[in-house]
Amino acid sequence: MKNQVCSKCAEGTYSLGSGIKFDEWDELPAGFSNVATFMDTVVGPSDSRPDGCNNSSWIPRGNYIESNRDDCTVSLIYAVHLKKSGYVFFEYQYVDNNIFFEFFIQNDQCQEMDTTTDKWVKLTDNGEWGSHSVMLKSGTNILYWRTTGILMGSKAVKPVLVKNITIEGVAYTSECFPCKPGTFSNKPGSFNCQVCPRNTYSEKGAKECIRCKEDSQFSEEGSSECVDRPPCTTKDYFQIHTPCDEEGKTQIMYKWIEPKICREDVTGAIRLPPSGEKKDCPPCNPGFYNNGSSPCHPCPPGTFSDGTKECRPCPAGTEPALGFEYKWWNVLPGNMKTSCFNVGNSKCDGMNGWEVAGDHIQSGAGGSDNDYLILNLHIPGFKPPTSLTGATGSELGRITFVFETLCSADCVLYFMVDINRKSTNVVESWGGTKEKQAYTHIIFKNATFTFTWAFQRTNQGQDNRRFVNDMVKIYSITATNAVDGVASSCRACALGSEQSGSSCVPCPPGHYIEKETNQCKECPPGTYLSMHQVYGKEACIPCGPGSKSTRDHSVCYSDCFFYHEKENQSLHYDFSNLSSVGSLMNGPSFTSKGTKYFHFFNISLCGHEGKKMALCTNNISDFTVKEMVTGSDDYTNLVGAFVCQSTIIPSESKGFRAALSSQSIILADTFLGVTVETTLQNINIKEDIFPVSPSQIPDVNFFYKSSTTTTSCINGRSTAVKMRCNPTKPGAGVISVPSKCPAGTCDGCAFYFLWESSEACPLCTEHDFHEIEGACKRGLQETLYVWNEPKWCIKGITLPEKKLSTCETVDFWLKVGAGVGAFTAVLLVALTCYFWKKNQKLEYKYSKLVMTTNSKECELPAADSCAIMEGEDNEEEVVYSNKQSLLGKLKSLATKEKEDHFESVQLKSSRSPNI
């Protein structure tokens, strides 16, 4: 500073010139700070409090710094003032998408800089360090490394690791930095320090490394001290199977784990066990043959072998069934390799992570318990057999392996897939001890694949070998339809015309091989072609109810039309307006520390020729799904299915700029059928899982399944979508999940959805309306047609037009009625008169009888006769009445008599003098 001259740094120190570097993480360097935050505006369950993040921070681990493992948001912050434009560079490991990792820069006004438009850091492969650099502007720059864990299960997340942070652009440095312990600088003017090799060490600011005592001490690469060598134990060696010798023999041998750090010449130490007896080598793997030499060679193209016999050509009309079947492990196959990696040290660099063991391959000893023991299988591509060209999106092949894990700690086995060497994604993982079992992964794309098995005994930061006996064993690995595969058998193929001889020809998509003629023949309508059996008509598998096959017979799907017969009534459904993807945002739910998240479902119900239109993505960015679809088709974070699910973290929950989508999974990629029944292929919709429909219209159920199995869903996931007619919910309607299973599933394997819409109603028919007749006016009558209420149908037929018909008016019928009434009145009067006269005669006879009886009691003379003889006229008129008769009333009204009426009896008799 006094002379204003740049000088070379002395030995044991270094300088970046106009930059600074942070490569020591024994403690948090000066200028760095940790800030742990929680939800700003969201409050979770009552037992989740923001102060639960007080202990969350980035933790220095020596050579690197490690992020938090919980679901708090923790920022590692460093502020720097630059005299000129520069950059920031750092190395990192980011392997777990259950943690969101972002790096961004703010100015002194807490405004985000334009240079951090893409602030989301990309994932890295297991065991590999990635790098990230961003340009810096002059002035104050506040650097943020921010992580947020998303814990929605019991599985622990893997933290983000950062090391070697370099900042360029501070204009000058006024001092040189001493080399950290374990490194040295032996030349003036160094811009970095070199790492001390094994069995040497150095202190801070060293010009050279000091050797350890050769026999009694050792040190790892980059050590700051030497440690005493411990006595050798059984954990310091491992066994191997030697390759077959010229006599076809192999034996078990024991080797020290390299580098050897133990001593055999001290009390209590053990020595290396002697080698085992020589035994016959196991046979070659299928598709290989030992032709007298020690190694097994692959069979030439067009030939096959089961591994015990010589390679033979396939018979006429057949072709080799190419693939790999590794079940004997005397040597590691040529397309496989093994390695060992540790994040924090280089103890196991160069070691074999896995060892062959005859009938299985097992994880090796490694250098430390937290090493990653890695096994890779490389396959350049997959293609179906010659006779089966395969349709787009159909299965091209599959890989199956049988394994078991034996663990006393928290070991984990990861199965990962890399496509076209772009990024490695974890497909499945198994923790703890697992019994012998098989796992299958299906391949749908012809690309270069690298399959990786990574085993870690514990993820705790331990450098010892306490759990060296924990291991994983893989008994067999089988890959079908591999491009560079070998054949263990032959399968029938389609033959060309007679002119082409017996050579195999490819069948068009959707064609099977007819057994009688070995010719290609198209599958019948409503069937799809099996990917595992193309020989014989039985290779064409019938589609499920209510579904049809695509033109190439690759898959079955619903064309959105469904027919059902109910009580002699035909119900036709048209779900075409619901064929676009339906979505459901379900929640919110909360993690153990109160982070709010939602389950987001996409459903591709029907149509689109069987294409899977439901897309879910792990965005970890501000990209939209549309942008990702229009980009590369290799975007590994995008999944397409009939039904898929994503976990959405709202932006206000963690202060992100946009909502985050992660943990996307496929719930259904295979359509099974559509029916009004509640059961199909072991998928059952329980009666009480949804409310009862208020209408008599039957619900229509769509059934799907996933072809991928998991450890918790050994038969794969299944999905049932119940379509319910609801006229009050027009258009796309409303999708809901059962109240008993708010996440759409109660067991994580079977998912249920209720989709209510007017579009789910059947098409209208003549049974859905009735007619109303109007009044007859001027000889015409109007008939109207109206829908039955409530209306449980849609579209279909339209209401008929109103109808006019001729009719008789009311005046004519009124005249007819008056005439009939008058005639009836006259008839009644006549009948009344007739019966009145008859009644008078009866009264007269009765009165004479009474009088005769009285005269006898008074001893009067007897009457000559008490009856009128035949032909004798009745000369007397008798009136004997207690009340006025009907005729009398009529007479009185006619004569308007006003006198009082008296009851009287008038008698005319020739015997009146006697009386």
Side-chain angles (χ1 to χ4, degrees):
M1 289 297 292
K2 181 183 289 187
N3 301 327
Q4 295 291 300
V5 175
C6 294
S7 304
K8 288 185 177 182
C9 290
E11 296 176 351
T13 63
Y14 74 99
S15 169
L16 298 178
S18 61
I20 52 178
K21 183 176 182 179
F22 300 97
D23 56 1
E24 289 186 65
W25 298 97
D26 296 314
E27 58 184 6
L28 202 62
F32 281 87
S33 61
N34 264 306
V35 176
T37 59
F38 208 66
M39 298 166 293
D40 298 329
T41 59
V42 180
V43 179
S46 59
D47 59 346
S48 300
R49 302 300 182 194
D51 58 7
C53 292
N54 289 343
N55 296 325
S56 295
S57 67
W58 287 74
I59 304 170
R61 295 292 190 188
N63 292 327
Y64 59 89
I65 187 168
E66 177 184 289
S67 74
N68 60 310
R69 296 170 181 253
D70 53 28
D71 53 356
C72 297
T73 299
V74 183
S75 298
L76 178 67
I77 305 173
Y78 184 78
V80 62
H81 187 80
L82 300 187
K83 295 294 185 182
K84 61 179 182 179
S85 298
Y87 64 88
V88 58
F89 169 89
F90 61 91
E91 296 180 68
Y92 70 95
Q93 276 204 13
Y94 175 29
V95 298
D96 194 340
N97 62 6
N98 290 313
I99 286 185
F100 295 142
F101 179 33
E102 49 187 337
F103 174 74
F104 59 96
I105 304 164
Q106 291 182 349
N107 58 21
D108 52 3
Q109 301 299 318
C110 293
Q111 295 175 334
E112 251 181 67
M113 308 287 274
D114 296 336
T115 54
T116 57
T117 53
D118 185 13
K119 67 177 184 177
W120 301 104
V121 183
K122 295 181 180 179
L123 289 166
T124 61
D125 295 342
N126 268 295
E128 293 186 8
W129 288 94
S131 61
H132 190 81
S133 62
V134 177
M135 299 302 296
L136 301 178
K137 294 182 178 180
S138 60
T140 300
N141 292 266
I142 305 173
L143 315 180
Y144 288 84
W145 291 263
R146 186 162 73 175
T147 57
T148 302
I150 307 299
L151 305 180
M152 279 164 288
S154 58
K155 191 177 295 184
V157 298
K158 289 182 173 294
V160 174
L161 312 180
V162 173
K163 70 176 183 178
N164 293 338
I165 299 176
T166 304
I167 302 173
E168 184 71 33
V170 294
Y172 63 86
T173 178
S174 58
E175 62 178 345
C176 298
F177 299 98
C179 293
K180 69 175 184 177
T183 64
F184 71 100
S185 171
N186 56 3
K187 293 180 181 179
S190 297
F191 66 90
N192 63 4
C193 299
Q194 303 176 50
V195 178
C196 288
R198 276 195 176 101
N199 295 324
T200 65
Y201 74 99
S202 71
E203 297 177 349
K204 191 170 186 177
K207 300 177 183 179
E208 60 180 0
C209 299
I210 304 171
R211 281 196 164 275
C212 300
K213 295 179 182 179
E214 193 167 335
D215 295 332
S216 61
Q217 292 183 325
F218 78 100
S219 69
E220 299 294 341
E221 193 177 76
S223 296
S224 60
E225 61 179 353
C226 295
V227 295
D228 293 335
R229 295 180 181 270
C232 291
T233 66
T234 55
K235 296 181 180 181
D236 292 303
Y237 66 85
F238 62 96
Q239 70 175 28
I240 63 169
H241 286 67
T242 62
C244 291
D245 57 20
E246 296 179 355
E247 300 176 355
K249 301 290 185 180
T250 183
Q251 67 180 144
I252 294 177
M253 293 186 65
Y254 298 90
K255 296 178 64 175
W256 293 113
I257 295 175
E258 296 294 339
K260 183 184 177 185
I261 61 173
C262 64
R263 296 179 61 180
E264 301 177 65
D265 56 352
V266 295
T267 306
I270 65 169
R271 295 187 177 275
L272 205 62
S275 299
E277 296 181 2
K278 286 191 174 184
K279 297 181 179 179
D280 291 335
C281 287
C284 294
N285 281 307
F288 293 82
Y289 179 67
N290 186 336
N291 57 2
S293 60
S294 54
C296 294
H297 297 279
C299 287
T303 63
F304 71 100
S305 171
D306 62 359
T308 61
K309 300 175 183 178
E310 293 185 1
C311 301
R312 293 173 294 168
C314 288
T318 64
E319 63 178 346
L322 297 180
F324 294 104
E325 183 182 357
Y326 297 132
K327 61 181 181 179
W328 299 109
W329 303 92
N330 182 249
V331 293
L332 196 65
N335 59 349
M336 299 185 73
K337 65 178 183 178
T338 177
S339 59
C340 179
F341 175 82
N342 192 293
V343 173
N345 58 61
S346 56
K347 284 183 180 181
C348 73
D349 289 0
M351 289 185 180
N352 287 335
W354 293 65
E355 300 290 344
V356 294
D359 63 345
H360 66 274
I361 185 171
Q362 65 187 30
S363 54
S368 305
D369 285 340
N370 58 352
D371 290 342
Y372 285 100
L373 307 174
I374 298 171
L375 179 67
N376 302 110
L377 169 63
H378 178 76
I379 295 180
F382 289 87
K383 69 173 184 179
T386 303
S387 299
L388 188 64
T389 56
T392 302
S394 60
E395 178 184 329
L396 293 183
R398 55 178 57 195
I399 181 168
T400 303
F401 58 95
V402 179
F403 72 98
E404 69 173 336
T405 56
L406 306 169
C407 300
S408 58
D410 56 336
C411 72
V412 181
L413 171 65
Y414 298 93
F415 175 62
M416 298 172 284
V417 175
D418 171 82
I419 302 176
N420 290 334
R421 298 180 178 177
K422 291 193 173 181
S423 64
T424 301
N425 295 306
V426 176
V427 175
E428 191 59 84
S429 61
W430 299 266
T433 298
K434 296 296 180 184
E435 295 180 352
K436 191 174 181 179
Q437 58 186 277
Y439 178 80
T440 299
H441 178 70
I442 300 177
I443 310 299
F444 295 99
K445 183 177 182 179
N446 184 15
T448 299
F449 281 82
T450 299
F451 303 100
T452 300
W453 294 264
F455 180 69
Q456 189 181 38
R457 292 185 173 91
T458 178
N459 64 357
Q460 304 301 319
Q462 298 178 353
D463 290 337
N464 51 26
R465 296 174 179 167
R466 292 175 51 199
F467 308 113
V468 71
N469 292 325
D470 292 3
M471 67 177 65
V472 57
K473 297 180 180 180
I474 294 181
Y475 293 92
S476 66
I477 299 176
T478 304
T480 63
N481 298 338
V483 168
D484 61 342
V486 294
S488 60
S489 61
C490 299
R491 56 188 160 201
C493 68
L495 299 179
S497 60
E498 295 181 1
Q499 290 80 8
S500 62
S502 61
S503 60
C504 294
V505 297
C507 283
H511 287 62
Y512 68 96
I513 304 172
E514 195 175 36
K515 291 182 178 180
E516 291 77 12
T517 62
N518 269 32
Q519 299 294 312
C520 299
K521 191 171 183 179
E522 185 177 2
C523 282
T527 64
Y528 68 97
L529 188 63
S530 169
M531 292 302 299
H532 311 291
Q533 166 65 28
V534 295
Y535 193 61
K537 192 174 182 179
E538 57 270 20
C540 302
I541 304 173
C543 292
S547 61
K548 60 190 297 185
S549 61
T550 55
R551 293 179 182 177
D552 58 6
H553 298 276
S554 58
V555 293
C556 296
Y557 74 102
S558 168
D559 60 359
C560 299
F561 294 93
F562 179 70
Y563 170 80
H564 175 62
E565 192 79 28
K566 176 178 179 286
E567 298 176 357
N568 297 325
Q569 180 182 353
S570 299
L571 298 179
H572 294 262
Y573 295 82
D574 181 4
F575 300 103
S576 300
N577 289 344
L578 301 177
S579 62
S580 58
V581 176
S583 299
L584 166 65
M585 182 80 80
N586 185 43
S589 301
F590 296 89
T591 65
S592 59
K593 289 204 173 182
T595 300
K596 183 167 76 171
Y597 66 92
F598 295 84
H599 286 306
F600 182 72
F601 300 95
N602 275 332
I603 301 175
S604 176
L605 186 71
C606 58
H608 307 287
E609 286 291 320
K611 292 181 181 178
K612 304 164 188 175
M613 305 300 293
L615 300 176
C616 293
T617 177
N618 300 329
N619 63 354
I620 320 268
S621 67
D622 294 335
F623 291 153
T624 63
V625 171
K626 183 177 179 181
E627 289 171 342
M628 287 183 288
V629 172
T630 56
S632 170
D633 60 352
D634 288 329
Y635 198 91
T636 55
N637 288 330
L638 190 66
V639 298
F642 289 116
V643 186
C644 61
Q645 171 193 315
S646 294
T647 300
I648 304 296
I649 312 297
S651 57
E652 74 273 9
S653 181
K654 294 291 185 179
F656 297 133
R657 290 182 300 179
L660 301 182
S661 173
S662 70
Q663 299 183 355
S664 296
I665 57 175
I666 294 176
L667 302 183
D669 56 14
T670 303
F671 179 74
L672 298 179
V674 52
T675 175
V676 295
E677 304 296 331
T678 57
T679 302
L680 181 66
Q681 293 191 17
N682 298 324
I683 305 175
N684 180 36
I685 305 176
K686 297 181 180 178
E687 293 183 358
D688 59 345
I689 198 168
F690 289 116
V692 178
S693 174
S695 75
Q696 299 298 318
I697 303 298
D699 297 331
V700 180
N701 303 309
F702 285 73
F703 293 91
Y704 310 84
K705 73 172 183 178
S706 171
S707 58
T708 303
T709 60
T710 63
T711 53
S712 55
C713 304
I714 57 176
N715 295 320
R717 297 183 178 94
S718 63
T719 301
V721 182
K722 179 180 283 290
M723 306 301 298
R724 175 167 292 176
C725 173
N726 191 332
T728 63
K729 297 178 180 178
V734 177
I735 304 176
S736 60
V737 295
S739 57
K740 295 181 179 180
C741 311
T745 177
C746 295
D747 58 3
C749 298
F751 289 78
Y752 303 97
F753 301 93
L754 175 63
W755 195 335
E756 296 180 272
S757 170
S758 59
E759 297 289 337
C761 297
L763 301 180
C764 295
T765 65
E766 62 274 6
H767 299 286
D768 295 303
F769 63 84
H770 62 278
E771 64 181 29
I772 298 177
E773 294 182 348
C776 186
K777 296 179 180 180
R778 298 178 182 178
L780 293 176
Q781 186 178 38
E782 190 177 61
T783 303
L784 298 177
Y785 297 90
V786 296
W787 295 111
N788 299 332
E789 291 295 338
K791 183 183 176 184
W792 297 104
C793 67
I794 193 172
K795 296 181 289 190
I797 66 171
T798 58
L799 283 176
E801 297 289 336
K802 62 181 179 180
K803 184 175 64 175
L804 290 176
S805 57
T806 58
C807 63
E808 299 292 343
T809 60
V810 178
D811 294 341
F812 170 79
W813 291 110
L814 185 61
K815 294 176 181 179
V816 173
V820 173
F823 173 77
T824 304
V826 171
L827 181 63
L828 286 174
V829 170
L831 291 173
T832 302
C833 294
Y834 171 76
F835 285 110
W836 175 78
K837 187 174 181 180
K838 296 281 285 184
N839 187 49
Q840 294 302 316
K841 291 180 180 181
L842 291 173
E843 288 182 357
Y844 168 72
K845 293 178 181 179
Y846 175 73
S847 60
K848 278 191 84 173
L849 179 63
V850 170
M851 293 173 61
T852 304
T853 304
N854 291 336
S855 63
K856 284 183 178 182
E857 293 178 354
C858 300
E859 297 179 354
L860 292 177
D864 296 334
S865 174
C866 65
I868 297 176
M869 301 302 294
E870 184 177 356
E872 181 182 359
D873 294 332
N874 183 13
E875 296 175 353
E876 291 121 356
E877 296 179 0
V878 181
V879 177
Y880 187 87
S881 174
N882 292 326
K883 61 180 180 179
Q884 196 173 12
S885 66
L886 175 61
L887 186 59
K889 290 179 181 180
L890 293 175
K891 288 180 179 180
S892 64
L893 288 173
T895 57
K896 298 189 181 322
E897 292 178 349
K898 298 182 179 178
E899 299 89 1
D900 295 334
H901 297 281
F902 299 94
E903 295 181 1
S904 62
V905 176
Q906 297 178 5
L907 299 174
K908 290 182 180 182
S909 175
S910 58
R911 297 157 67 174
S912 56
N914 295 334
I915 296 175

